[in-house]
């Protein structure tokens, strides 16, 4: 094995060349001007480090998968970090922490981040892929709560979650098969998933209407089986599939219903599956609206190993929906709702946001909004990279993971050179990612 000699150099070696792409995307927003125009309490109108510089610096960290405030110290003297993100002055770690603490006292920063994130998705003409129900396209909107494990901390708002860990339980709304994040709401760990959800659904519908004119299909799990949710969705002409909470219902009762109204399919010897639906009516403002209760009942008399049961086993699952499609289509569409668990994982693990950096509840809520903004930025970059087959990854895919975007497009090594009154990024010509990196930079310029 060859021995390497480690030597310092005055050449500008860049390890995060992909931040140039992030900077191009940020320049397409009004984020900086809107934040700078808003005066925070106890902060001067023209601080030494502007609100826009603080926001872009933190977004630059998050786009590398770093959430801790102290990570900003690495980039205070980094010329490329400031050039790529168009930052006049990179804040120190205490300045970053204090400014976010002050910004969290008002709702304005969260509103601006939310609105600018949606505007960016719209302005870049990002493709939002639908799902199909009987050849009719619907834009899926998945709502779900995801526990953030913050065990063994004394952070404000950390409480016992339904997963059995201490932490937070924010709610997210994702749109399209790509998983763009439409909305987020910070919640304490012990808050029930239905608390505040009706208003969250209203806000999500408004956000979704800004991005698409196609029919919406909301998908929620059994924790959100509530009449209030059904009424809001029907009033706003949004389709839905909501898994029902069985509460005290018995499988034997559903078996009788299935035998009467369902269609039986014997998948194997000793296993029968009944699929069907029964109509229901719901009262909305002196009007009766018709919806369906879709069911799937499974009866097992023999195990898959051939063991005959003395007492048959029964399982059932039921759903609320207004879609006029066969029951198996409804169930299949709902099962695709599970993909949002991957979106949760990308925010929590790949953006390093599960253990939020602040001890203050409101600040962590603002950090989560910054995380959603960075998540959508990276998602835009990943989806743009799929438009041509010029990447070294030949496996066919419809969505690029955030981790893949960070590893292969953001943390891209290059050399920063100033020559002929131009700043240049020199990437090794043997680098297989050079064509896609150049294309992405030009696509968002």
């Amino acid at each position: 094995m060859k021995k390497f000699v480690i030597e310092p150099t005055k050449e500008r070696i860049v390890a995060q060349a992909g931040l140039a792409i992030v900077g191009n995307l940020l320049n397409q927003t009004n984020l900086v001007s809107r934040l700078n125009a808003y005066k925070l309490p106890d902060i001067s109108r023209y601080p030494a480090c502007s609100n826009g510089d603080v926001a872009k610096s933190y977004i630059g960290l998050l786009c590398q998968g770093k959430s801790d405030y102290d990570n900003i110290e690495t980039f205070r003297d980094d010329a490329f970090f400031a050039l790529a993100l168009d930052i006049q002055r990179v804040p120190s770690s205490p300045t970053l922490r204090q400014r976010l603490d002050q910004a969290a006292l008002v709702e304005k920063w969260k509103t601006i981040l939310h609105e600018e994130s949606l505007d960016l998705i719209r302005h870049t003409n990002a493709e939002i892929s639908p799902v199909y129900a009987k050849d009719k396209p619907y834009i899926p909107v998945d709502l779900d709560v995801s526990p953030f494990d913050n065990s063994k901390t004394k952070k404000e708002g950390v409480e016992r979650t339904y997963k059995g860990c201490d932490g937070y339980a924010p709610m997210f709304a994702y749109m399209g098969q790509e998983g763009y994040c439409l909305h987020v709401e910070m919640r304490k760990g012990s808050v029930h998933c239905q608390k505040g959800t009706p208003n969250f659904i209203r806000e999500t519908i408004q956000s979704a209407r800004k991005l698409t004119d196609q029919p919406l299909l909301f998908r929620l799990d059994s924790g959100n089986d509530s009449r209030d949710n059904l009424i809001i969705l029907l009033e706003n002409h949004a389709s839905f599939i909501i898994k029902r909470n069985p509460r005290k219902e018995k499988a034997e009762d559903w078996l009788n219903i299935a035998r009467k109204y369902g269609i039986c399919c014997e998948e194997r010897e000793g296993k029968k599956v009944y699929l069907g639906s029964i109509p229901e009516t719901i009262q909305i403002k002196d009007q009766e609206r018709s919806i369906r209760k879709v069911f799937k009942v499974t009866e097992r008399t023999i195990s898959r190993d051939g063991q005959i049961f003395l007492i048959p086993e029964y399982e059932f699952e039921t759903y609320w929906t207004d879609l006029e499609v066969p029951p198996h289509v409804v169930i299949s569409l709902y099962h695709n709702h599970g993909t949002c668990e991957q979106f949760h994982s990308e925010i929590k693990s790949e953006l390093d946001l599960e253990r939020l950096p602040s001890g203050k509840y409101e600040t962590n809520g603002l950090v989560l909004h910054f995380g959603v903004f960075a998540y959508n930025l990276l998602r835009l970059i990943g989806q743009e990279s799929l438009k041509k087959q010029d990447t070294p990854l030949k496996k066919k895919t419809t969505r690029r993971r955030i981790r893949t975007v960070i590893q292969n497009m953001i943390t891209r090594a290059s050399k920063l050179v100033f020559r002929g009154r131009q700043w240049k990024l020199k990437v090794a010509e043997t680098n297989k990612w050079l064509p896609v990196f150049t294309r992405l930079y030009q696509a968002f310029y």
Side-chain angles (χ1 to χ4, degrees), residues 45 80-81 173 190 193 203 205 212 290 304 321 335 379 433:
R45 169 65 71 178
F80 174 75
F81 186 81
S190 62
C193 63
E203 294 173 352
I205 292 173
T212 182
S290 177
R304 65 176 62 186
T321 186
H335 286 171
R379 180 67 72 205
W433 286 91

Side-chain angles (χ1 to χ4, degrees), residues 364-405:
N364 282 333
L366 177 60
V367 167
L368 199 56
H369 277 75
F370 270 105
V372 166
F373 191 98
Y375 167 86
N376 284 335
L377 279 178
L378 295 172
R379 180 67 72 205
L380 285 168
I381 295 172
Q383 294 310 113
E384 183 68 26
S385 72
L386 293 172
K387 291 185 177 180
K388 290 186 179 180
Q389 296 297 322
D390 54 358
T391 67
L393 304 178
K394 300 305 179 184
K395 183 179 179 180
K396 191 173 182 180
T397 182
T398 57
R399 184 179 62 252
R400 192 79 77 196
R401 282 189 67 103
I402 299 299
R403 179 178 59 195
T404 305
V405 175

